[in-house]
Amino acid sequence: MVGMKPTDVAPTATVKFFGAGTAGCIADLVTFPLDTAKVRLQIQGESKHAEGAAGVKYRGVFGTITTMVRTEGPRSLYNGLVAGLQRQMSFASVRIGLYDSMKQFYTRGSENAGIVSRLLAGCTTGAMAVAFAQPTDVVKVRFQAQTRLADGEKRYKGTMDAYKTIARDEGIKGLWKGCIPNITRNAIVNCAELVTYDIIKELILKYNLMTDNLPCHFTAALGAGFCTTIVASPVDVVKTRFMNSTAGQYNSAINCALTMLTKEGPTAFYKGFMPSFLRLGSWNIVMFVSYEQIKRAMTTVQQSWEAPF
């Protein structure tokens, strides 16, 4: 990322890789209930058309959270957390941790990266991350969407059971369900998130509005979260619906999008916008602030190991 002073020692690719994964896990721990509420609101249109007006169970971010706590208990807000943490360690590490390295690849080692190079780097690492993390994303969404059945049973008993059940009932392809919309979403999210953060932080430092510290990171992360939510919400809703769908419900992600458009209208693509923004905004703040501090701490430790005296 931008902001290094000439006297600073730049963090290595390894530091960025593990730092990004750790920061992603910290951000998920803090914001997971908001993500779960977002998923429930995004899939609600399906139950509404299946069950009629009575299917409208959740209203608003905090209404959704309150309803879940009352009907399913507080633990329901963290359904899929294990898969979520697995996802971040394999996902954030690649899409965020390798962003700077990919940016240098496209600029052939130059520090002056233009907007095109940044966008290419964001698209590349976003798509690469899906190749590693897609199964964990499918399991996470399934857990967040599941509610207790009439007999008190749940769709999956645990994280490993979910992987096994999906692979057994839907084949290995089931674990990669929604891969194309997820690649699309994450390429868009990565570009909007990382490039926006990069540019806002660069401008803040360029015009000496703040120093390269926590307030700067907070401001850049909040701006990145807002821009990302606007750009990525339509693809995110389609991805969630398609991943959570039963076999044969939708022929493809495009069919899912067209079904939503015809049955629920254009506003369906922005279902759960507020929890999406609250989640992405807060997630970006926690992640980027943590990431910057972890990078510095790991670099300092690495230097002390290399030169202990």
Side-chain angles (χ1 to χ4, degrees):
M1 297 291 177
V2 297
M4 296 297 296
K5 298 176 183 177
T7 54
D8 289 338
V9 176
T12 64
T14 303
V15 166
K16 292 176 184 177
F17 185 84
F18 287 105
T22 304
C25 287
I26 294 172
D28 251 26
L29 284 169
V30 174
T31 64
F32 209 80
L34 292 172
D35 192 38
T36 302
K38 177 203 73 172
V39 169
R40 291 293 181 93
L41 285 168
Q42 285 178 337
I43 66 170
Q44 182 163 245
E46 294 175 336
S47 60
K48 181 174 72 172
H49 285 281
E51 302 170 21
V56 182
K57 183 178 181 181
Y58 307 113
R59 298 182 184 278
V61 185
F62 298 107
T64 300
I65 291 174
T66 302
T67 299
M68 290 180 65
V69 171
R70 186 180 67 249
T71 60
E72 302 172 51
R75 293 181 63 180
S76 64
L77 297 174
Y78 284 90
N79 281 345
L81 177 62
V82 174
L85 296 179
Q86 291 172 349
R87 175 180 179 269
Q88 289 304 334
M89 281 308 299
S90 56
F91 187 74
S93 298
V94 175
R95 78 176 185 90
I96 299 170
L98 298 183
Y99 171 72
D100 283 339
S101 298
M102 196 56 63
K103 190 167 62 174
Q104 288 186 339
F105 170 78
Y106 283 116
T107 58
R108 298 184 180 180
S110 173
E111 291 296 324
N112 299 318
I115 186 67
V116 174
S117 298
R118 297 182 203 216
L119 289 172
L120 285 172
C123 285
T124 302
T125 59
M128 286 170 58
V130 175
F132 291 96
Q134 182 68 8
T136 62
D137 207 8
V138 171
V139 171
K140 180 183 81 75
V141 168
R142 295 282 183 95
F143 261 106
Q144 289 176 313
Q146 80 170 352
T147 56
R148 288 189 181 278
L149 303 176
D151 57 3
E153 290 296 318
K154 286 192 171 185
R155 193 175 184 182
Y156 307 111
K157 296 177 181 178
T159 305
M160 295 311 297
D161 177 63
Y163 286 115
K164 292 176 182 177
T165 302
I166 293 171
R168 184 186 67 240
D169 296 347
E170 304 173 42
I172 296 299
K173 286 185 178 180
L175 290 171
W176 299 90
K177 192 170 189 177
C179 188
I180 299 302
N182 209 15
I183 287 176
T184 304
R185 175 192 179 271
N186 284 299
I188 293 171
V189 166
N190 225 36
C191 286
E193 195 173 79
L194 296 179
V195 174
T196 304
Y197 179 83
D198 223 10
I199 291 174
I200 293 175
K201 181 181 174 184
E202 189 176 69
L203 291 173
I204 289 173
L205 297 175
K206 180 180 179 181
Y207 292 102
N208 296 316
L209 300 176
M210 300 177 190
T211 58
D212 186 10
N213 223 314
L214 198 148
C216 171
H217 305 156
F218 180 95
T219 303
L222 183 61
F226 182 72
C227 293
T228 304
T229 308
I230 292 175
V231 172
S233 274
V235 183
D236 191 34
V237 175
V238 173
K239 181 212 77 168
T240 299
R241 290 280 188 96
F242 190 60
M243 280 184 176
N244 187 58
S245 63
T246 56
Q249 185 174 352
Y250 302 116
N251 296 328
S252 64
I254 294 175
N255 174 249
C256 177
L258 291 174
T259 302
M260 286 172 57
L261 182 63
T262 54
K263 289 187 175 181
E264 301 171 58
T267 56
F269 294 100
Y270 281 92
K271 278 183 178 291
F273 179 84
M274 188 51 66
S276 288
F277 172 59
L278 288 174
R279 194 261 174 177
L280 268 176
S282 56
W283 192 92
N284 271 270
I285 290 168
V286 177
M287 195 285 297
F288 278 116
V289 169
S290 300
Y291 181 43
E292 298 280 8
Q293 298 306 313
I294 290 170
K295 279 195 301 182
R296 290 181 180 180
M298 290 180 70
T299 301
T300 301
V301 171
Q302 187 178 35
Q303 284 180 282
S304 66
W305 283 349
E306 292 173 355
F309 301 106

